């Protein structure tokens, strides 16, 4: 039967509940092995579940078949659970002198799992010319690439056009988990909207006439610059291979 919307199919009608009726859409995104292979050489590889002490071991694992990768990750999950139990006992004894990598501590829940890698290069932030003209915006956009190779190609193109001779031959690339980025953007948007609403309600909430005139309850508040965290400037760059593949399918 399947659980396409998180709810079972009705046995009598054969229908499934829509989101308005309580159904929840579920998606399973499978990360490409190729991008995980490249992520093994990047800063922040722990964010996408690459936890081997040696990055080369993670890269070699991603060259294996899917059953081998699945079995290895299952063993890693089991080992991670046992390790966390030992850590709790060690903390209970108040052991000192243990140095823990901050990123490994923050993303220890990813050990034995894999995330969706997106690649970022701090030197590749750029202005959007269209938004700059239409909206008079001069904030730099932060591109996050789904393809490591596309980022490298963009870097090479930028280096050829740039007159800055101090640009390094190869970019410094950091990898992030797409799910972390998306949830952070949603959380940040909610926080900005909530702060704007609280500020407005603090001024108008005690004046019923003004509150009714301005329609505070029906206004959709936008984020402002002073409350911005920069997440709204993130731009996802799709994999060029996927774009070409979609174009080929549309021609059939």
């Amino acid at each position: 039967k399947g659980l396409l919307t998180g709810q079972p199919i009705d046995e009598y009608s054969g229908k499934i509940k829509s989101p308005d009726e309580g159904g929840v859409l579920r998606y399973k995104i499978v990360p490409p092995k190729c991008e995980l292979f490249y992520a093994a050489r990047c800063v922040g590889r722990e964010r996408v579940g690459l936890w081997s002490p040696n990055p080369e071991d993670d890269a070699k694992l991603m060259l294996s078949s899917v059953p081998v990768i699945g079995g290895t990750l299952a063993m890693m999950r089991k080992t991670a659970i046992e390790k966390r139990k030992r850590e709790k006992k060690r903390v209970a004894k108040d052991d000192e002198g243990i140095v823990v990598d901050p990123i490994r501590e923050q993303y220890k829940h990813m050990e034995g799992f894999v995330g969706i890698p997106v690649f970022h290069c701090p030197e590749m932030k750029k202005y959007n010319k269209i938004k700059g003209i239409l909206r008079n915006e001069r904030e730099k956009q932060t591109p996050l690439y789904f393809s490591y190779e596309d980022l490298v190609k963009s870097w090479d193109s930028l280096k050829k056009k740039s007159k800055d001779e101090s640009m390094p031959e190869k970019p410094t690339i950091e990898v992030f988990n797409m799910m972390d980025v998306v949830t952070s953007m949603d959380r940040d948007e909610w926080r900005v909207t909530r702060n704007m609403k609280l500020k407005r309600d603090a001024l108008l909430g005690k004046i019923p006439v003004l509150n009714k005139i301005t329609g505070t309850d029906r206004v959709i508040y936008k984020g402002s610059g002073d409350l911005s965290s920069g997440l709204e400037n993130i731009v996802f760059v799709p994999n060029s291979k996927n774009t070409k593949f979609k174009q080929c399918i549309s021609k059939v």
Side-chain angles (χ1 to χ4, degrees), residues 189-200 227:
E189 183 179 357
W190 177 88
R191 180 185 62 80
V192 172
T193 303
R194 179 62 175 167
N195 288 341
M196 292 291 292
K197 188 175 188 304
L198 289 175
K199 283 186 176 182
R200 187 180 181 97
L227 296 173

Side-chain angles (χ1 to χ4, degrees), residues 1-251:
K1 295 180 179 179
L3 300 175
L4 301 179
T5 62
Q7 297 288 340
I9 298 176
D10 187 271
E11 295 182 357
Y12 299 101
S13 64
K15 297 181 179 180
I16 54 178
K17 291 185 178 180
S18 65
D20 297 335
E21 297 172 332
V24 180
L25 294 177
R26 290 184 178 180
Y27 300 93
K28 183 176 181 180
I29 307 176
V30 181
K33 294 195 302 177
C34 175
E35 304 307 333
L36 289 172
F37 170 79
Y38 287 127
R41 68 184 71 185
C42 299
V43 178
R45 59 191 178 91
E46 292 84 0
R47 297 187 181 106
V48 291
L50 302 177
W51 270 71
S52 297
N54 188 355
E56 293 182 359
D57 294 336
D58 286 326
K60 290 179 180 178
L61 176 62
M62 292 305 135
L63 293 175
S64 305
S65 61
V66 174
V68 173
I69 296 175
T72 304
L73 292 176
M75 291 297 297
M76 290 176 62
R77 286 194 292 270
K78 183 178 179 180
T79 304
I81 294 174
E82 295 175 353
K83 184 170 66 176
R84 292 190 192 115
K85 290 180 180 178
R86 292 195 299 269
E87 288 179 353
K88 288 181 180 179
K89 293 180 180 179
R90 189 168 53 192
V91 171
K93 294 180 181 179
D94 295 328
D95 288 346
E96 296 182 358
I98 301 174
V99 180
V100 181
D101 187 352
I103 193 170
R104 285 182 171 263
E105 179 65 22
Q106 183 179 1
Y107 291 93
K108 59 185 179 182
H109 63 281
M110 287 300 298
E111 189 172 3
F113 298 91
V114 287
I116 312 297
V118 286
F119 302 94
H120 167 60
C121 178
E123 293 84 3
M124 293 187 65
K125 291 184 178 181
K126 60 182 181 179
Y127 295 107
N128 188 313
K129 295 182 179 180
I130 297 177
K131 284 187 176 181
I133 296 174
L134 298 179
R135 305 180 185 177
N136 195 25
E137 292 184 5
R138 295 299 298 168
E139 294 183 359
K140 287 186 176 181
Q141 292 184 332
T142 304
L144 293 181
Y145 289 78
F146 280 93
S147 171
Y148 179 92
E149 294 178 354
D150 288 347
L151 191 153
V152 174
K153 289 179 181 178
S154 298
W155 174 265
D156 293 339
S157 176
L158 179 64
K159 184 174 175 58
K160 290 179 181 179
K161 296 178 181 179
S162 176
K163 299 180 181 179
D164 186 4
E165 297 180 355
S166 63
M167 287 185 65
E169 189 66 26
K170 295 182 179 180
T172 301
I173 302 178
E174 187 172 2
V175 64
F176 292 89
N177 191 337
M178 187 198 74
M179 303 308 297
D180 292 338
V181 177
V182 172
T183 52
S184 297
M185 293 172 69
D186 289 341
R187 186 164 52 246
D188 185 70
E189 183 179 357
W190 177 88
R191 180 185 62 80
V192 172
T193 303
R194 179 62 175 167
N195 288 341
M196 292 291 292
K197 188 175 188 304
L198 289 175
K199 283 186 176 182
R200 187 180 181 97
D201 290 350
L203 295 174
L204 303 179
K206 296 182 180 180
I207 310 177
V209 176
L210 289 179
N211 195 24
K212 185 176 181 180
I213 293 174
T214 56
T216 306
D217 295 336
R218 295 186 297 275
V219 174
I220 300 176
Y221 297 93
K222 301 291 184 181
S224 60
D226 58 337
L227 296 173
S228 172
S229 66
L231 287 171
E232 71 280 358
N233 295 324
I234 289 178
V235 178
F236 289 102
V237 182
N239 192 322
S240 59
K241 293 181 180 178
N242 294 342
T243 305
K244 293 178 181 178
F245 181 72
K246 182 179 179 181
Q247 291 175 352
C248 293
I249 291 178
S250 61
K251 293 179 181 178

